[in-house]
C-alpha cells in the first residue's frame, strides 16, 4: 500500500478533516481511490465527509446529493467541522 510507496504511514489521527465527492464512473481518477481514502480515514478515526456521486464521471461539478449542490454540501461540512454559527 501507501506505506510501501512512501516508506512510512502518511495518515494518522492528526490529519485534518476531509471532504470527498467523487464520481463512481470517473474514468481519470478511479473511484476506488476515494474508497481507499475513506477506509484510511475511518480506520484512523478522522472526520470525513464522503459523497459518492452515483453514475457521474470526472468533473461532476453540477452533481446533486439529496437535493444539495456540491458547494452546499462542502459549506455545510465546513460549518459543522469548525463549529461555526451561521445566521
Amino acid at each position: 500500500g501507501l506505506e510501501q510507496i512512501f516508506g512510512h504511514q502518511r495518515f494518522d489521527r492528526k490529519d485534518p478533516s476531509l471532504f470527498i465527492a467523487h464520481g463512481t464512473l470517473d474514468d481519470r481518477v478511479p473511484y476506488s481511490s476515494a474508497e481507499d481514502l475513506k477506509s484510511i480515514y475511518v480506520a484512523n478515526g478522522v472526520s470525513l465527509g464522503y459523497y459518492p456521486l452515483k453514475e457521474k464521471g470526472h468533473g461532476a461539478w453540477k452533481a446533486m446529493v439529496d437535493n444539495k449542490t456540491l458547494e452546499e454540501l462542502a459549506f455545510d461540512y465546513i460549518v459543522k467541522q469548525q463549529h461555526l454559527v451561521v445566521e
Side-chain angles (χ1 to χ4, degrees), residues 17-70:
S17 301
L18 181 65
F19 177 90
I20 296 175
H22 198 109
T24 60
L25 299 179
D26 191 331
D27 62 353
R28 293 190 190 162
V29 179
Y31 178 70
S32 61
S33 296
E35 291 179 315
D36 291 345
L37 274 175
K38 176 187 177 189
S39 295
I40 291 167
Y41 265 67
V42 168
N44 283 311
V46 181
S47 178
L48 172 74
Y50 187 76
Y51 299 94
L53 305 176
K54 297 183 188 307
E55 306 298 319
K56 301 292 182 189
H58 189 79
W61 304 114
K62 300 291 183 195
M64 302 281 286
V65 177
D66 296 329
N67 293 319
K68 288 190 173 189
T69 65
L70 298 182

Side-chain angles (χ1 to χ4, degrees), residues 54-85:
K54 297 183 188 307
E55 306 298 319
K56 301 292 182 189
H58 189 79
W61 304 114
K62 300 291 183 195
M64 302 281 286
V65 177
D66 296 329
N67 293 319
K68 288 190 173 189
T69 65
L70 298 182
E71 292 88 352
E72 291 170 318
L73 292 170
F75 180 83
D76 291 348
Y77 185 71
I78 291 166
V79 167
K80 179 180 175 186
Q81 292 307 304
Q82 295 187 8
H83 306 287
L84 301 174
V85 176

